[in-house]
Amino acid sequence: MTHRPFLRWPDPRLRMPAEPVEAVDDAVRAIWDEMVQAMQAMPGVGLAAPQLGIMRRLAVVDAGDGQGVTRLANPRILHASATLRDHEEASPNLPGVSARVSRPRAVTVAFLDETGAEREAEFVMLRATSVQHQIDHLDGRMYFHRLSKVKRDMLLRRAAKCA
């Protein structure tokens, strides 16, 4: 199975909020399967559907911690810890660069799972970083939007040299 190509920044779709998923059906599960394949091919620890040009609120997360892949539809953060964690983040949508981003160490997220059931789960450490990164994509934001303007501009200049 091959996957769609990753959109490249500054594709305008990467700045658009994704549309909510009305129901989890076989079409949604097929998109998740394609996303898992794309995530593993990177390799990466998560992927949001808009990164492949699919404008739906779908994400997958697999931090390689033995918990396997979590498939999320319409994820939203219910609670975030006050304790922050720094992690080097990157994206296949802006290859060749990365930046240290500070995010809550743990988050509680509500979402529809692969059966269509409403769930809540706590994500910690790398899984928390990844799920927050994916939700940013679903909201039309990239990790570098969390940087100061000076750092963001420097990163985008470096990325342009890598292209």
Side-chain angles (χ1 to χ4, degrees):
M1 174 182 182
T2 59
H3 63 82
R4 291 162 234 235
F6 294 105
L7 298 182
R8 295 294 290 261
W9 181 263
D11 189 301
R13 291 172 287 180
L14 293 170
R15 286 179 248 158
M16 294 173 47
E19 293 296 320
V21 172
E22 297 302 318
V24 174
D25 55 17
D26 288 342
V28 166
R29 289 184 196 95
I31 293 169
W32 270 328
D33 290 345
E34 179 181 353
M35 291 170 61
V36 168
Q37 193 265 335
M39 173 183 65
Q40 292 170 341
M42 276 190 279
V45 296
L47 191 71
Q51 293 181 266
L52 297 175
I54 305 164
M55 302 310 295
R56 309 277 304 277
R57 291 191 74 81
L58 296 170
V60 293
V61 172
D62 184 357
D65 54 7
Q67 295 184 45
V69 177
T70 303
R71 292 165 171 82
L72 307 100
N74 303 331
R76 66 187 191 284
I77 296 171
L78 300 176
H79 175 75
S81 68
T83 305
L84 300 179
R85 175 179 181 271
D86 289 347
H87 188 76
E88 195 74 17
E89 295 188 31
S91 174
N93 306 108
L94 190 68
V97 295
S98 63
R100 257 186 128 51
V101 178
S102 188
R103 295 182 186 267
R105 182 186 169 281
V107 290
T108 303
V109 178
F111 60 97
L112 298 177
D113 69 12
E114 58 273 1
T115 69
E118 179 79 32
R119 285 196 45 212
E120 286 183 18
E122 185 172 10
F123 295 81
V124 297
M125 301 297 285
L126 184 55
R127 289 178 79 78
T129 297
S130 180
V131 78
Q132 291 172 82
H133 181 111
Q134 307 323 317
I135 290 171
D136 276 357
H137 276 299
L138 299 177
D139 292 339
R141 292 175 50 125
M142 298 270 293
Y143 71 92
F144 56 78
H145 288 116
R146 296 194 171 271
L147 303 174
S148 70
K149 179 172 177 14
V150 170
K151 287 183 178 180
R152 181 174 54 245
D153 290 348
M154 285 173 41
L155 181 108
L156 292 173
R157 278 195 301 274
R158 274 198 334 260
K161 290 178 184 175
C162 293

